[in-house]
Amino acid sequence: MSDDEQAIRELVETWMGATKAGDAETVLGLMSDDVVFMVPGAEPFGKEAFAAALKGMGMMTIEGRSDIHELAVLGDIAYLRNQIEMTATAPDGKATRRSGWTLTILRKGPDGRWRLSRDANLLTTQSGAP
């Protein structure tokens, strides 16, 4: 595995860990300023809207698992195909489970760090959530 592939895998692990810890600052630092997210049923949105959504989650806790199925580095651009499962639990104990695939494009910045640049998130809500 190349250093770049390892760095991208570490970025995904850091994202998942920071999300679980409620560390919005770390999550936001893992994406480019011009990031674009695409999710079903909504217009594409950027970093500012993502940050607002994180803030709106309040005291919700998130547990998740990521399984990278494909990762390719093409110079300073990379993509990954990732299967994600996550459960968001509200303070009252009500949980929502979502799972599905993402297709993510990353760019390597002038500082040598990889950042998420584009993300097509196809997660859907699953029935039978805990």
Side-chain angles (χ1 to χ4, degrees), residues 40-77:
E43 289 291 320
F45 58 92
K47 193 171 189 174
E48 186 175 307
F50 189 96
L54 283 178
K55 184 177 180 181
M57 294 180 76
M59 299 301 295
M60 193 166 286
T61 59
I62 298 176
E63 297 280 336
R65 182 187 67 78
S66 167
D67 186 11
I68 297 172
H69 284 255
E70 182 178 4
L71 171 58
V73 176
L74 310 162
D76 289 343
I77 302 273

Side-chain angles (χ1 to χ4, degrees), residues 2-130:
S2 75
D3 289 345
D4 285 324
E5 290 171 349
Q6 184 61 39
I8 291 167
R9 288 179 184 278
E10 288 172 8
L11 180 150
V12 172
E13 288 177 26
T14 300
W15 185 294
M16 298 300 285
T19 299
K20 181 177 180 177
D23 183 353
E25 184 177 337
T26 294
V27 172
L28 294 170
L30 297 172
M31 60 183 78
S32 64
D33 289 337
D34 66 344
V35 67
V36 175
F37 292 93
M38 295 171 284
V39 299
E43 289 291 320
F45 58 92
K47 193 171 189 174
E48 186 175 307
F50 189 96
L54 283 178
K55 184 177 180 181
M57 294 180 76
M59 299 301 295
M60 193 166 286
T61 59
I62 298 176
E63 297 280 336
R65 182 187 67 78
S66 167
D67 186 11
I68 297 172
H69 284 255
E70 182 178 4
L71 171 58
V73 176
L74 310 162
D76 289 343
I77 302 273
Y79 70 87
L80 64 90
R81 187 171 53 91
N82 197 10
Q83 187 175 22
I84 296 176
E85 293 181 9
M86 61 162 282
T87 302
T89 306
D92 67 3
K94 183 177 179 184
T96 302
R97 182 175 176 271
R98 299 180 70 223
S99 66
W101 295 90
T102 66
L103 181 60
T104 304
I105 299 172
L106 303 107
R107 287 193 316 239
K108 192 174 190 178
D111 62 359
R113 290 185 52 215
W114 287 96
R115 290 182 182 82
L116 189 134
S117 177
R118 303 290 184 267
D119 188 71
N121 179 317
L122 304 174
L123 274 62
T124 57
T125 301
Q126 305 300 301
S127 61

